[in-house]
């Protein structure tokens, strides 16, 4: 059945703009509709048509980001009405098609940060940060993914004393973040999603502020050392060494940088 599912994935990807039924999909891989639908749900956690709808929405989103007309795109992927498309898009993507298009335009129009005039606040992440994080940090993710995979887990970790994700809020908008996890009882804090590279601009100053507040948070969580795993020789490794991290050990192409707090 696993090979049949893989074969079905390929067929669906190649026919996203075509109309087909569950019976036709099952027939394509040689199974009855009932047996195929049951096994597909067991293996993927989704019904066949839920999977198809999700793939169509993500394909439509890519075209909308590239400037395609929303109504034309909805029709192309089998949605009869703009309202139906918007409802399906929002349930999967976490925003409307119009917001998705607007997000892409904003990314092309970002302005510089004025450190002399801007008000900067470093604080733990909250649910209200999702839109800003989508625009400024996790731009390849969807708002729904950011909420479910980044923000909510970070809030839970902080509540349990197992880590924290800090955001830098500039003039009311979250523009950068720095997540940390405290594994088990060990007094170490591991920074992740930390691919920061030096810019020579205000972003470097903001990262310094994030790291300073991270030290404060670490003391509250009984963390004595911060660890930053980086690829050997990478620009992000150089950046964290610039901020005071030192090489602790190496393994399989990775260098583990450490800083006492």
């Amino acid at each position: 059945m696993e090979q049949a599912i893989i074969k079905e994935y390929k067929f669906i990807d190649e026919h996203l703009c075509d109309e087909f039924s569950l019976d036709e999909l099952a027939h394509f891989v040689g199974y009855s509709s009932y047996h195929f639908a049951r096994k597909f749900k067991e293996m993927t956690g989704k019904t066949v048509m839920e999977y198809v709808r999700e793939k169509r929405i993500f394909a439509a989103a890519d075209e909308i980001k590239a400037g395609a007309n929303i109504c034309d795109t909805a029709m192309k992927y089998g949605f009869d009405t703009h309202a139906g498309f918007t409802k399906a898009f929002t349930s999967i993507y976490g925003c409307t098609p119009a917001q998705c298009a607007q997000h892409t335009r904003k990314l092309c129009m970002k302005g510089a940060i004025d450190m002399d005039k801007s008000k900067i606040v470093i604080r733990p992440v909250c649910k209200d940060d999702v839109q800003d994080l989508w625009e400024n940090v996790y731009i390849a993710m969807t708002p729904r993914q950011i909420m479910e995979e980044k923000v909510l887990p970070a809030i839970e970790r902080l509540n349990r004393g197992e880590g924290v994700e800090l955001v830098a809020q500039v003039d009311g908008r979250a523009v950068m973040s720095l997540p940390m996890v405290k594994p088990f009882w060990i007094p170490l804090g591991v920074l992740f999603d930390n691919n920061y590279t030096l810019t020579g601009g205000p972003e470097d100053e903001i990262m310094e502020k994030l790291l300073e507040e991270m030290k404060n948070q670490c003391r509250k969580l009984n963390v004595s050392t911060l660890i930053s795993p980086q690829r050997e020789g990478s620009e992000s490794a150089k950046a964290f060494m610039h901020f005071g991290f030192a090489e602790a050990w190496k393994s399989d192409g990775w260098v583990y940088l450490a800083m006492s707090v």
Side-chain angles (χ1 to χ4, degrees):
M1 174 57 81
E2 184 175 344
Q3 290 301 314
I5 297 295
I6 293 172
K7 183 179 179 182
E8 199 69 84
Y9 283 162
K10 184 177 180 181
F11 176 86
I12 292 170
D13 285 344
E14 293 174 350
H15 297 82
L16 286 176
C17 297
D18 300 334
E19 290 188 19
F20 45 77
S21 65
L22 174 60
D23 288 342
E24 290 169 325
L25 290 175
H27 178 74
F28 177 71
V29 291
Y31 286 91
S32 70
S33 299
Y34 173 78
H35 183 67
F36 175 68
R38 183 169 58 84
K39 288 297 183 180
F40 191 96
K41 180 69 179 290
E42 287 178 1
M43 294 180 66
T44 68
K46 301 182 180 77
T47 68
V48 179
M49 300 318 291
E50 283 174 346
Y51 175 82
V52 171
R53 185 181 68 162
E54 185 174 275
K55 295 290 287 186
R56 283 173 171 163
I57 290 297
F58 279 108
D62 287 341
E63 294 194 17
I64 289 169
K65 291 176 186 177
N69 178 273
I70 292 174
C71 289
D72 291 344
T73 305
M75 297 294 290
K76 177 179 177 180
Y77 286 98
F79 292 88
D80 295 331
T81 66
H82 185 282
F85 178 63
T86 297
K87 182 178 180 181
F89 192 102
T90 303
S91 69
I92 291 171
Y93 216 78
C95 67
T96 67
Q99 288 170 331
C100 178
Q102 184 181 39
H103 168 63
T104 304
R105 289 194 295 271
K106 284 183 177 179
L107 292 179
C108 299
M109 298 169 59
K110 280 187 177 179
I113 298 170
D114 187 335
M115 293 296 290
D116 294 327
K117 298 179 181 179
S118 296
K119 179 181 179 181
I120 300 173
V121 177
I122 308 298
R123 57 168 175 76
V125 72
C126 68
K127 294 179 182 179
D128 291 340
D129 292 324
V130 170
Q131 183 71 25
D132 291 344
L133 291 174
W134 183 37
E135 294 179 3
N136 301 307
V137 181
Y138 302 117
I139 59 177
M141 300 178 73
T142 70
R144 180 178 176 182
Q145 288 172 325
I146 294 169
M147 177 66 82
E148 295 177 354
E149 299 175 22
K150 300 293 183 181
V151 174
L152 294 180
I155 293 172
E156 291 173 6
R157 282 194 295 269
L158 182 59
N159 290 338
R160 295 194 303 263
E162 297 174 356
V164 62
E165 178 163 356
L166 297 178
V167 296
Q169 180 179 295
V170 179
D171 297 331
R173 296 180 63 80
V175 299
M176 290 174 63
S177 74
L178 187 64
M180 182 273 288
V181 169
K182 177 186 176 184
F184 309 110
W185 62 88
I186 305 172
L188 299 178
V190 180
L191 299 176
F192 63 100
D193 283 351
N194 56 343
N195 307 328
Y196 186 80
T197 57
L198 296 171
T199 67
E203 295 84 3
D204 295 347
E205 295 182 54
I206 293 174
M207 178 54 73
E208 283 193 90
K209 292 179 181 294
L210 279 166
L211 286 167
E212 282 303 313
E213 179 56 29
M214 183 61 76
K215 292 179 186 179
N216 293 332
Q217 294 290 330
C218 284
R219 296 182 190 110
K220 295 177 183 178
L221 296 172
N222 297 316
V223 169
S224 60
T225 305
L226 277 173
I227 301 295
S228 174
Q230 300 289 348
R231 283 289 181 185
E232 280 191 70
S234 66
E235 290 301 314
S236 52
K238 295 175 185 176
F240 278 84
M241 293 179 75
H242 169 82
F243 292 125
F245 283 76
E247 184 180 311
W249 73 92
K250 294 181 181 180
S251 177
D252 297 325
W254 288 84
V255 57
Y256 294 83
L257 306 175
M259 173 190 279
S260 296
V261 300

